[in-house]
Amino acid sequence: MSAKTGKAPPLTQKKSNGSLARRRSEQREAMYWAEAQRLSHTGSFGWKPASGQLIWSEESFRIFQYPPTTTPTVELALRRVHPEDRSAVRQRLDRFSRDHKDYQHEYRLLMPDGSIKYVRVVARALNDQSGEVEFVGAIMDITAAKQTEQMLREREAFLAEAQRLTHTGSGVWRVDTDEAVYLSEEWYRIYGFDPSHGLSAWKSRVLRMHPEDQARVKAAKERAVREKTDYQVEHRIVLPDGTVRYTDTVGHPVLDASGEVVRFVCTMMDITERKQAELGREALREAQANLARISRVVTMGELTASLAHELNQPIAAASIDASTCMQWLAGQPPDLEEARAAAARTVIDVTRAGELIRRVRQYFKKEISQPETVDVNEMIREMIAFLRGEIVRNKIAITTDLAKELPCVVGDRVQLQQVLMNLMINGIEAMKETDSTRKLEITSRPAEHNEVVVSVNDTGTGLPQERQEKIFDAFFTTKPQGTGMGLRISRSIVEAHGGRLWASNNLPHGASFHFTLRSGA
């Protein structure tokens, strides 16, 4: 109805308005469709193989980078196809047009600026009213997806290579079923599985875990699940050929929205080389300790005569004092005062002998090194007393120049005693064949960097210039009865204590051996 006349508009005007509305609606739909294609980088096409007619949407022209005024043809499209893909694309189009079946394929486009696009084509075969076959389809620019896929593949390759180089595998396992969600290639390699076995290898791993380690690994994982914390555990893997691998596994929990543990992300590092090195170093330390002990035995064997003399003195004195005590007691009346004095002297003599035996036993004892605070000057005085018999027997004058208020060092007392004794005995041996004054001097002094320097100086034959470093080589000796290990072991002990040992000649004759030790200050 007209607002002014109250009459209905003419029928022709209603039809005109309806057609206009439809056209506007169709235009909007076409605009939406074109915009959707532009946003999704998806063009549409129609192709009739029999006539060669090809229709492209606006986005299809953009994808192939042809102006919309261009008449599209199959040959025009093939010009944009990458030369390496063109032959295969042509063959597929021929087959599709011959078989009249739906098709899809992917290929590359080489654009005028040299850039490469990846496209995916999907088409459906239809029959028009005349029965002619027509393909209707879509062409999608998947370059961004391909680039992302390529980047992910490269990252995966880099990660796999990094895991291979570091011998570190990774995986993800579910808590509720204890099933693997993901396992890296390096994980399979560490356990000795073929990756083609798939995720089922996760359950089989327990069979290759060392029986002695299984309970400990299980307890660590159960505690981590219960407490919702990380876990770290080392365990061994026994491969089918008997090879043993050592691993260090770290797991991190993944929680759901309610705070419950649902998964664990874990890494496993093959630490076999490190463990073998540690075991090797431990074996080497034990071998060095045994060798050092053997060296002490050999050295003490050379001192048997002096030890016998040292022990004979307190034992003989104790025997005399005991006899004297008995005589005083046998008197009429017994002289208790003299007997008491003789008994006291006996106790002193026996204590002296016992102390000497204790020192010898301690020197021979095989035990784990126990660092302690060592008074260097006291150690020097102890070793002088220990070797007193050898010094006197060889008519050697011994002097000391010990720094006052010398800081203590931290180390193994017995090992440091061995070093000092080796150097003192070497000095004594070097002076046995000399006719000049035989003098052994031992000095101590503080040095830079919180170190203490101990020197053993003799007036013996000295060292040939070309042999000053060679004397520290294993099995090198200048003594007919020497083992060639004393100085080598002494240097190893000093270096293990953070110091160094070296030798020099004295003027006019003789040699000096010096070693440094870190003070405990």
Side-chain angles (χ1 to χ4, degrees):
M1 296 290 291
S2 171
K4 292 182 178 181
T5 63
K7 298 180 180 179
L11 181 60
T12 54
Q13 184 178 357
K14 289 184 179 180
K15 289 183 178 179
S16 175
N17 290 340
S19 298
L20 180 60
R22 281 195 300 272
R23 284 197 302 272
R24 288 178 178 175
S25 176
E26 290 172 355
Q27 288 174 355
R28 275 198 308 273
E29 290 178 2
M31 182 184 67
Y32 294 157
W33 178 248
E35 184 65 13
Q37 287 197 354
R38 188 183 68 81
L39 292 173
S40 63
H41 304 291
T42 303
S44 57
F45 67 90
W47 174 43
K48 293 183 177 182
S51 63
Q53 182 183 4
L54 182 62
I55 301 174
W56 277 351
S57 69
E58 185 178 344
E59 185 63 19
S60 296
F61 281 102
R62 260 196 300 270
I63 291 174
F64 281 90
Q65 289 187 10
Y66 283 120
T69 57
T70 306
T71 301
T73 64
V74 172
E75 288 302 321
L76 191 70
L78 286 173
R79 291 178 193 173
R80 286 283 192 260
V81 177
H82 196 286
E84 295 178 3
D85 299 346
R86 191 173 296 154
S87 177
V89 171
R90 188 186 297 275
Q91 290 176 7
R92 288 186 176 184
L93 290 177
D94 291 342
R95 186 172 69 253
F96 298 149
S97 62
R98 184 177 60 252
D99 296 342
H100 299 170
K101 292 182 178 180
D102 298 349
Y103 71 87
Q104 62 177 347
H105 61 144
E106 294 182 5
Y107 54 87
R108 293 169 294 173
L109 301 180
L110 181 60
M111 312 315 295
D113 62 358
S115 62
I116 294 176
K117 284 183 180 180
Y118 292 82
V119 296
R120 176 183 294 120
V121 178
V122 180
R124 172 165 292 182
L126 302 173
N127 292 321
D128 61 10
Q129 294 178 351
S130 63
E132 183 180 353
V133 175
E134 178 182 14
F135 287 97
V136 178
I139 180 167
M140 293 160 277
D141 183 349
I142 59 172
T143 305
K146 280 291 185 180
Q147 290 174 342
T148 301
E149 182 182 328
Q150 179 65 23
M151 183 176 63
L152 290 175
R153 280 200 298 267
E154 290 178 353
R155 288 183 178 179
E156 288 179 357
F158 294 153
L159 178 60
E161 183 65 11
Q163 289 197 351
R164 188 186 67 82
L165 292 173
T166 59
H167 307 295
T168 304
S170 58
V172 180
W173 57 277
R174 292 179 53 178
V175 172
D176 56 348
T177 60
D178 192 23
E179 293 179 341
V181 178
Y182 163 78
L183 297 172
S184 70
E185 289 189 8
E186 189 65 12
W187 185 94
Y188 288 100
R189 190 202 65 79
I190 292 174
Y191 265 103
F193 288 119
D194 187 332
S196 63
H197 291 171
L199 299 179
S200 62
W202 175 259
K203 290 292 183 69
S204 302
R205 82 195 187 287
V206 180
L207 300 177
R208 297 192 177 181
M209 194 179 296
H210 197 289
E212 295 178 2
D213 299 343
Q214 291 180 12
R216 180 163 47 83
V217 173
K218 182 180 179 181
K221 291 174 62 177
E222 289 177 348
R223 182 170 59 254
V225 172
R226 185 172 60 253
E227 299 177 359
K228 303 177 184 179
T229 59
D230 293 355
Y231 69 87
Q232 180 174 6
V233 62
E234 293 184 6
H235 67 86
R236 292 163 291 177
I237 294 172
V238 183
L239 301 182
D241 62 359
T243 301
V244 177
R245 287 180 177 160
Y246 293 81
T247 65
D248 184 7
T249 300
V250 178
H252 178 72
V254 178
L255 309 182
D256 61 12
S258 61
E260 295 300 320
V261 181
V262 291
R263 295 182 180 182
F264 267 90
V265 178
C266 60
T267 62
M268 168 182 285
M269 179 176 288
D270 184 345
I271 58 172
T272 303
E273 292 184 4
R274 189 184 80 190
K275 277 292 183 180
Q276 289 176 341
E278 291 176 358
L279 293 174
R281 286 193 295 270
E282 184 63 32
L284 180 60
R285 283 193 293 269
E286 185 175 351
Q288 288 177 335
N290 288 335
L291 190 58
R293 182 170 173 269
I294 292 172
S295 176
R296 293 199 295 271
V297 171
V298 172
T299 303
M300 295 302 292
E302 297 172 357
L303 295 175
T304 301
S306 295
L307 286 173
H309 177 72
E310 289 291 323
L311 284 170
N312 185 61
Q313 286 183 341
I315 292 174
S319 177
I320 292 172
D321 289 332
S323 298
T324 303
C325 179
M326 292 178 65
Q327 291 175 4
W328 290 118
L329 292 173
Q332 295 296 331
D335 191 333
L336 297 181
E337 190 64 31
E338 290 293 343
R340 186 179 294 107
R345 290 194 299 273
T346 302
V347 172
I348 294 173
D349 293 331
V350 172
T351 302
R352 180 184 169 194
E355 178 63 20
L356 182 60
I357 293 172
R358 184 191 67 79
R359 289 184 180 179
V360 173
R361 289 183 62 186
Q362 182 185 32
Y363 196 69
F364 277 100
K365 192 174 183 181
K366 179 182 179 181
E367 59 182 9
I368 298 174
S369 174
Q370 296 294 338
E372 58 181 305
T373 301
V374 179
D375 185 326
V376 175
N377 288 342
E378 181 185 350
M379 179 182 69
I380 292 172
R381 287 189 283 267
E382 286 178 350
M383 293 314 298
I384 291 175
F386 193 69
L387 297 175
R388 178 69 64 182
E390 190 74 5
I391 292 169
V392 172
R393 187 161 61 88
N394 287 280
K395 300 178 180 179
I396 293 173
I398 186 164
T399 61
T400 60
D401 183 8
L402 308 181
K404 295 181 179 179
E405 299 182 357
L406 192 69
C408 293
V409 301
V410 176
D412 186 299
R413 178 183 295 274
V414 174
Q415 289 185 358
L416 296 179
Q417 286 176 340
Q418 179 178 359
V419 172
L420 185 57
M421 188 178 77
N422 283 344
L423 300 182
M424 291 175 65
I425 289 177
N426 283 347
I428 294 171
E429 293 284 342
M431 293 186 288
K432 280 184 177 181
E433 305 301 326
T434 61
D435 296 328
S436 58
T437 301
R438 299 176 181 180
K439 181 179 178 181
L440 188 68
E441 181 186 34
I442 304 176
T443 67
S444 67
R445 61 180 175 83
E448 297 179 348
H449 309 300
N450 293 325
E451 289 186 331
V452 172
V453 180
V454 177
S455 299
V456 178
N457 312 299
D458 65 64
T459 56
T461 55
L463 300 170
Q465 190 66 31
E466 67 277 5
R467 292 188 175 185
Q468 284 193 21
E469 271 303 312
K470 198 171 181 63
I471 59 174
F472 294 103
D473 293 344
F475 306 114
F476 178 84
T477 180
T478 58
K479 298 185 292 185
Q481 75 280 14
T483 64
M485 292 304 298
L487 289 175
R488 174 66 261 179
I489 292 172
S490 295
R491 173 172 276 187
S492 297
I493 292 173
V494 171
E495 289 177 350
H497 283 74
R500 62 190 185 95
L501 169 64
W502 72 99
S504 62
N505 273 318
N506 291 335
L507 293 176
H509 49 76
S512 292
F513 287 83
H514 319 272
F515 64 91
T516 63
L517 297 170
R518 292 179 181 174
S519 72

